[in-house]
Amino acid sequence: MSIHLTPIGFVHSTRTDATDDAWDEEATTIHLDGDTFSPEALQGLDAFSHAVIVYWFDRVPAEKITTGARHPRGNESWPKVGIFAQRGKNRPNRIGVTTVRIVDVQNLSVTVEGLDAIHRTPVLDIKPYMLEFAPRGTVSQPQWSKELMSDYWRTIQSQ
């Protein structure tokens, strides 16, 4: 089976390097494709505080794709876990999903905070975040993942 997806727009950001941490240090704007969409496509999105952004890791080369287990970030002090037990970019279908805070919605653009995607990343979908889609019940995760994420959203302060 083959699935064909067309980007709805692209990320515009000053961040061009897919480093692992401090993704909160800048706002990012998603510009929708004006040949396909009108501002009507974003109508009402500004009533939500957050959105889920689905995007494609287009700059991950095929030879870097992981289908088995590995140490997250190559850190051997963390356990070797399967690609589906981590959120690394070298995934089989290279799909990224992040919940972001909506800062502004204007015309064909959505400005957000907390999007871990670099400049010119293709955006596949934008969905409003609704509490009813949050996990039901207790959420658990291993300690290594808490350590990995400890600086992921950290804002770097100017010195």
Side-chain angles (χ1 to χ4, degrees), residues 6 9 28 39 47 77 127:
T6 302
T28 302
S77 68
K127 296 175 181 279

Side-chain angles (χ1 to χ4, degrees), residues 25-139:
E25 63 187 3
E26 68 175 270
T28 302
T29 301
I30 298 165
H31 294 290
L32 294 187
D33 175 4
D35 292 335
T36 304
F37 300 99
S38 73
E40 218 172 61
L42 295 174
Q43 186 174 332
L45 185 62
D46 60 347
F48 291 88
S49 64
H50 291 76
V52 177
I53 309 301
V54 181
Y55 51 97
W56 189 52
F57 293 116
D58 63 315
R59 281 160 261 181
V60 175
E63 64 272 9
K64 297 284 189 179
I65 298 299
T66 300
T67 58
R70 67 177 186 148
H71 296 282
R73 293 193 186 176
N75 185 338
E76 293 191 10
S77 68
W78 293 331
K80 199 173 189 180
V81 295
I83 191 62
F84 298 124
Q86 53 188 291
R87 294 182 59 111
K89 65 184 174 297
N90 299 359
R91 317 185 65 68
N93 283 317
R94 301 178 216 167
I95 296 172
V97 178
T98 303
T99 302
V100 300
R101 187 174 81 76
I102 297 170
V103 175
D104 191 31
V105 179
Q106 295 290 323
N107 299 315
L108 290 172
S109 299
V110 182
T111 301
V112 300
E113 289 179 345
L115 181 58
D116 52 348
I118 60 177
H119 185 65
R120 298 295 302 153
T121 295
V123 176
L124 302 175
D125 205 354
I126 299 171
K127 296 175 181 279
Y129 180 82
M130 299 177 189
L131 284 175
E132 293 79 8
F133 281 100
R136 293 171 295 287
T138 303
V139 174

